[in-house]
Amino acid sequence: MSTYPPTLCGLASFTASLRAALPPGSAGGVVRAVESATTSDPAGGPEVAGDLVAGSPASGRAAATLLDRDDVAIVQHEYGIYGGADGEDVLRVLNLLRVPAIVVLHTVLSAPTPHQRAVLNGVVAAAAAVVVMSETARARLVAGYDVPAGRLVVIPHGAPDTGGTAAAPHRSQRRQILTWGLLGPGKGIEWGIEAMALLPAQWPEPRYLVAGRTHPKVLAQQGEGYRRSLQLRTERLGVRDRVRFDARYLAAASLRRLVAQAEVVLLPYDSRDQVTSGVLIEAVTARTPVVATRFPHAVELLSGGAGLLVEHQDPAAIAHALQQILVDRAAAGRMVVAAGIAARSLGWASVAAQYSRLGAELVSARPRVMA
């Protein structure tokens, strides 16, 4: 149960990728979380068994019935995708389930409101197993929430694994710096633009590509205001020729090619809470050096040397880190090698196998019903 394509969001992509990587015949159906039952919600593929409509108790009961058709339910949890205050509608579904539920936590807040903590504690209590995607998330969950240690499992996010390591870190004469993903406030793109204005002149001249549509929820509430503000910033700083925006939502194959062409992936996120980043995982599995702000997942994943960490909202630090990678080819090469080592356990096949084993353990542990 999750958002699901053609919905455009990280959880939808995650769920589709995980389902596709599960062993043949074991994936089951999908209950898709939607905001309304109107025709504005596009239909999913044949694997979509039904929709969980925000704010609809009847829909919640139907969703539980659909999930009970399979041996195990995998439920993606994020506060913003379910109805009710802080997504509390998901509790109704979880509490009605008869099959064991694996709940995957995409956000673990370090300073939740009392109600956010209560919702997540309720989600954890109803789960047979709780999956987090980093050790940082595990430690935060144990410290701040009511979670039995025996139910908690760390399984990384997962990404396409292109295999092998790049022969050299310099991918293209275009010297491309790349940020991608659904666009909206908090992505920190403004700090990347500011950093481009601070980079010294060099040849070939680096270009900063910001790829991705505006997030649908941001678009509905604010329109393209954030993107326009970024474009105005490039003009004010005189770097319009160094920064390019691509507002398309790229298919997986096109995105992989784009990442492979990049010399650096830049993740200048404002969040200090982010314990999971699919974009970060994909950059590492593509063996592309990363410059990221010190959000928790980046601190953990880049500790092996696959990139450089900078302080939040610090364009000078970002520019310095970018310049290090662009100029010091030996250092960039070491980052490529470190990324290749980290990538061994991050491919979708490895991740899906861990979910399969966890599901099998839960099924075998269920009490047998005597006839």
Side-chain angles (χ1 to χ4, degrees):
M1 183 168 72
S2 173
T3 54
Y4 196 74
T7 300
L8 302 180
C9 79
L11 265 70
S13 299
F14 175 94
T15 303
S17 296
L18 174 60
R19 186 179 185 278
L22 289 169
S26 67
V30 176
V31 174
R32 186 181 59 149
V34 297
E35 294 187 1
S36 70
T38 67
T39 54
S40 63
D41 292 315
E47 70 274 20
V48 176
D51 289 341
L52 171 63
V53 180
S56 168
S59 173
R61 292 189 294 270
T65 299
L66 290 171
L67 292 170
D68 278 336
R69 291 178 180 176
D70 293 304
D71 296 320
V72 176
I74 300 179
V75 177
Q76 310 300 329
H77 181 265
E78 179 67 84
Y79 289 105
I81 69 169
Y82 300 111
D86 298 317
E88 64 184 0
D89 283 6
V90 71
L91 295 173
R92 180 184 300 115
V93 180
L94 290 171
N95 290 326
L96 287 171
L97 284 178
R98 295 193 302 271
V99 299
I102 299 172
V103 174
V104 185
L105 303 184
H106 289 257
T107 295
V108 182
L109 298 173
S110 58
T113 66
H115 190 258
Q116 286 171 332
R117 178 177 278 110
V119 169
L120 196 59
N121 281 336
V123 166
V124 168
V130 178
V131 171
V132 291
M133 302 183 201
S134 65
E135 289 296 334
T136 303
R138 184 200 64 77
R140 184 176 290 180
L141 194 65
V142 169
Y145 299 84
D146 301 328
V147 53
R151 292 189 198 172
L152 189 53
V153 182
V154 179
I155 302 177
H157 182 285
D161 191 345
T162 55
T165 55
H170 194 156
R171 315 296 179 81
S172 165
Q173 288 302 308
R174 293 159 63 189
R175 310 204 76 185
Q176 187 157 282
I177 299 162
L178 173 67
T179 298
W180 85 90
L182 293 171
L183 200 62
K187 290 291 187 180
I189 308 300
E190 53 268 45
W191 314 118
I193 294 171
E194 299 268 356
M196 293 304 295
L198 297 175
L199 280 179
Q202 54 198 287
W203 184 260
E205 188 175 43
R207 295 288 192 272
Y208 182 29
L209 174 62
V210 180
R213 290 187 186 180
T214 296
H215 194 289
K217 290 189 176 181
V218 174
L219 189 63
Q221 296 170 5
Q222 304 173 22
E224 291 285 7
Y226 180 62
R227 187 186 300 274
R228 283 196 295 271
S229 75
L230 297 175
Q231 292 167 334
L232 289 172
R233 189 177 296 253
T234 66
E235 295 175 6
R236 178 173 59 81
L237 293 171
V239 293
R240 188 169 59 176
D241 60 335
R242 284 189 171 192
V243 181
R244 185 166 68 89
F245 295 87
D246 184 341
R248 295 174 297 165
Y249 188 86
L250 297 174
S254 298
L255 180 58
R256 284 196 294 272
R257 286 193 295 271
L258 189 65
V259 179
Q261 293 168 358
E263 196 159 345
V264 189
V265 167
L266 173 60
L267 306 180
Y269 301 163
D270 288 338
S271 173
R272 290 170 167 80
D273 250 345
Q274 192 163 347
V275 294
T276 302
S277 170
V279 171
L280 174 61
I281 293 280
E282 291 193 35
V284 170
T285 57
R287 282 74 167 173
T288 304
V290 177
V291 172
T293 48
R294 292 182 176 275
F295 59 90
H297 196 195
V299 171
E300 181 176 324
L301 191 57
L302 299 182
S303 64
L308 298 174
L309 296 166
V310 297
E311 297 302 327
H312 290 82
Q313 302 181 1
D314 190 339
I318 293 172
H320 179 69
L322 292 174
Q323 185 70 355
Q324 278 186 264
I325 295 173
L326 294 170
V327 171
D328 190 340
R329 309 315 303 150
R334 290 191 294 272
M335 292 178 196
V336 171
V337 172
I341 294 170
R344 293 171 185 168
S345 62
L346 300 176
W348 276 118
S350 173
V351 168
Q354 294 178 69
Y355 276 95
S356 293
R357 287 194 294 271
L358 178 58
E361 290 169 7
L362 295 177
V363 170
S364 66
R366 292 185 71 189
R368 297 184 181 275
V369 178
M370 301 302 293

